[in-house]
Amino acid sequence: MKLKTLLLFLFISSAYAQNQSDAEKLINEGVVLHDKGDYSAAIDKYSKALEVDKDNLLALSEKAMSLNSAGKYVECIEVSKHAILTHSNEDLKNVYVSYANALDHLKKTDEALAIYQEGIQKYPNYYQLQFNKGICYTNSNRYNEAILCFQKSLLINPRHAGSLNAIGILEMKDNRIPAILAFSRFLIVEPQTSRSTKNLENIKKILAQGIQQTGKKSITININSNVLSDSTSSKKENDFSQADLILSMASGLDFDKKNAKKTEVENFIRKFEVICSSLQETKNDNFGFYWENFAPYFIEMKNKKFIEAFAYIAYVDSGSEDVVKWHKKKQSELDKFYNWSKDYNWKN
């Protein structure tokens, strides 16, 4: 009797292992199809994987993701709920992202935010939950709450390009120094993409904000009233009014005779050095996320004399002859810069 029981156990174990192996193969095939954008075929693979290995968590998680990408939001929600019900003690962080994202697409904002929050409580160190919650807030025009989520995402993962991009976009109208810093950091973590090309244009646009040549020898500088601090009021969080004002003066000098003959990158370096110097001079009197997280990075960049390398990284896709020549001659400078940036201590 004991021998029969043992043989039965071995048979069941072998069958289960085979099912897992078959399911894993189907899931891998599904992932390849998903990455190619063939979501329907990927969903079919995950469904077959679940036929051979019922309630396989990876299959459920990947299926929810593909259903979400395919716009099948109701089905995504059903699969996500089932995964959470059957795997309550396992890793469900990506399931929560798909689940809440589907609710957001269905304009069920409050439900989506509740699911994001539930996921964040379970997985507080998963930056994608904070980032996607920020997207949900953005979609409902709740920009201040969105920015807080993107900031929390960066506290978890300082290299997350999506959060840097989002902060840059949301801050560029009324708080241009943090926007410049966010876009600049983006260009370091995600160079040479369509987004990096767009974000360099965003930086250039922000740098030129309020500057207009009104005559052959005259320039008009318009200062945004939002950056003019009231000396009688208490200090505001993330106040960059002094750096903003100094940047306007530096940008006005683009039309100065001695700078007119400089290359675009050289003038960018001049203005960026002014920004970083201003940050260093005023950091002790200010506070807030950007002062505590962005400013120290760029101050150290200046002090280690890496602004030139950063500038040529930012302009790498410009096609300018001077940029091409610099990259050919200064590979060692690029290596030093990237090694510094990679090892930078974000917990300072």
Side-chain angles (χ1 to χ4, degrees):
M1 187 65 179
K2 287 183 179 179
L3 180 59
K4 286 182 179 180
T5 301
L6 178 60
L7 290 172
L8 179 61
F9 174 76
L10 291 173
F11 174 78
I12 292 172
S13 297
S14 177
Y16 177 69
Q18 183 61 49
N19 287 350
Q20 279 191 313
S21 178
D22 291 343
E24 185 177 328
K25 181 181 177 183
L26 288 163
I27 294 166
N28 289 336
E29 291 171 359
V31 170
V32 172
L33 290 165
H34 177 98
D35 290 344
K36 290 179 179 178
D38 192 349
Y39 305 125
S40 295
I43 292 164
D44 185 57
K45 291 289 184 182
Y46 301 137
S47 296
K48 288 179 179 177
L50 291 165
E51 288 175 9
V52 298
D53 186 14
K54 184 184 177 184
D55 297 336
N56 182 292
L57 177 56
L58 184 57
L60 289 169
S61 179
E62 295 292 342
K63 185 176 182 179
M65 190 181 301
S66 291
L67 285 166
N68 192 34
S69 298
K72 298 181 178 181
Y73 304 123
V74 174
E75 293 174 61
C76 172
I77 291 167
E78 291 173 355
V79 170
S80 299
K81 285 180 176 179
H82 181 72
I84 292 170
L85 181 65
T86 55
H87 298 276
S88 59
N89 294 320
E90 296 180 63
D91 188 352
L92 296 163
K93 55 182 180 286
N94 286 320
V95 174
Y96 275 98
V97 171
S98 297
Y99 184 3
N101 196 268
L103 287 166
D104 187 23
H105 279 291
L106 292 173
K107 307 300 181 185
K108 297 182 178 182
T109 303
D110 290 341
E111 291 179 51
L113 290 171
I115 295 302
Y116 279 127
Q117 193 55 37
E118 184 179 322
I120 288 167
Q121 287 175 345
K122 289 186 177 182
Y123 310 101
N125 295 320
Y126 190 45
Y127 68 95
Q128 283 286 0
L129 283 162
Q130 291 286 3
F131 171 71
N132 281 278
K133 186 181 180 184
I135 296 296
C136 185
Y137 275 129
T138 303
N139 291 338
S140 56
N141 300 323
R142 295 162 67 176
Y143 301 125
N144 289 336
E145 290 159 296
I147 288 171
L148 289 175
C149 289
F150 298 135
Q151 291 174 354
K152 289 175 182 177
S153 170
L154 288 171
L155 288 174
I156 300 168
N157 180 8
R159 292 186 56 83
H160 187 230
S163 296
L164 292 163
N165 185 61
I167 284 177
I169 291 169
L170 292 180
E171 293 283 22
M172 66 184 293
K173 181 181 178 182
D174 295 320
N175 207 357
R176 67 171 178 161
I177 299 297
I180 290 170
L181 301 182
F183 283 140
S184 296
R185 176 72 184 139
F186 177 95
L187 294 174
I188 295 165
V189 300
E190 188 184 298
Q192 296 186 276
T193 67
S194 59
R195 290 201 299 180
S196 63
T197 300
K198 174 64 175 175
N199 285 342
L200 176 59
E201 291 304 312
N202 284 333
I203 292 174
K204 289 157 69 174
K205 182 177 175 182
I206 298 169
L207 289 172
Q209 184 178 305
I211 309 299
Q212 185 179 5
Q213 188 170 19
T214 52
K216 192 173 182 180
K217 294 185 178 181
S218 60
I219 301 160
T220 299
I221 301 177
N222 295 308
I223 307 297
N224 189 333
S225 60
N226 290 330
V227 308
L228 298 176
S229 298
D230 182 352
S231 60
T232 63
S233 64
S234 58
K235 202 68 179 174
K236 297 184 298 183
E237 185 177 10
N238 291 313
D239 179 4
F240 288 86
S241 54
Q242 287 180 265
D244 197 299
L245 185 61
I246 291 170
L247 172 59
S248 291
M249 300 298 110
S251 294
L253 291 174
D254 283 351
F255 300 96
D256 187 82
K257 188 176 180 179
K258 68 178 181 180
N259 293 322
K261 294 182 180 180
K262 290 182 178 179
T263 66
E264 187 176 341
V265 183
E266 288 171 338
N267 274 314
F268 175 87
I269 291 169
R270 174 180 57 79
K271 287 176 284 190
F272 207 82
E273 285 178 342
V274 166
I275 293 172
C276 293
S277 294
S278 178
L279 295 179
Q280 186 163 17
E281 289 169 9
T282 56
K283 66 177 180 176
N284 293 333
D285 298 323
N286 288 285
F287 67 100
F289 174 86
Y290 303 126
W291 280 107
E292 293 156 14
N293 292 277
F294 285 179
Y297 176 83
F298 289 99
I299 290 170
E300 187 170 316
M301 180 192 293
K302 178 191 76 73
N303 291 338
K304 289 186 176 292
K305 304 187 185 306
F306 283 137
I307 289 178
E308 181 184 17
F310 159 65
Y312 281 98
I313 289 168
Y315 275 81
V316 65
D317 284 333
S318 67
S320 299
E321 186 179 349
D322 58 305
V323 175
V324 174
K325 285 182 178 179
W326 191 95
H327 277 269
K328 285 181 179 179
K329 292 180 179 180
K330 303 280 190 167
Q331 185 58 53
S332 62
E333 293 300 310
L334 289 173
D335 292 340
K336 288 177 186 176
F337 173 84
Y338 277 119
N339 286 334
W340 163 76
S341 185
K342 177 174 62 71
D343 294 335
Y344 179 79
N345 181 13
W346 289 95
K347 303 300 182 183
N348 281 338

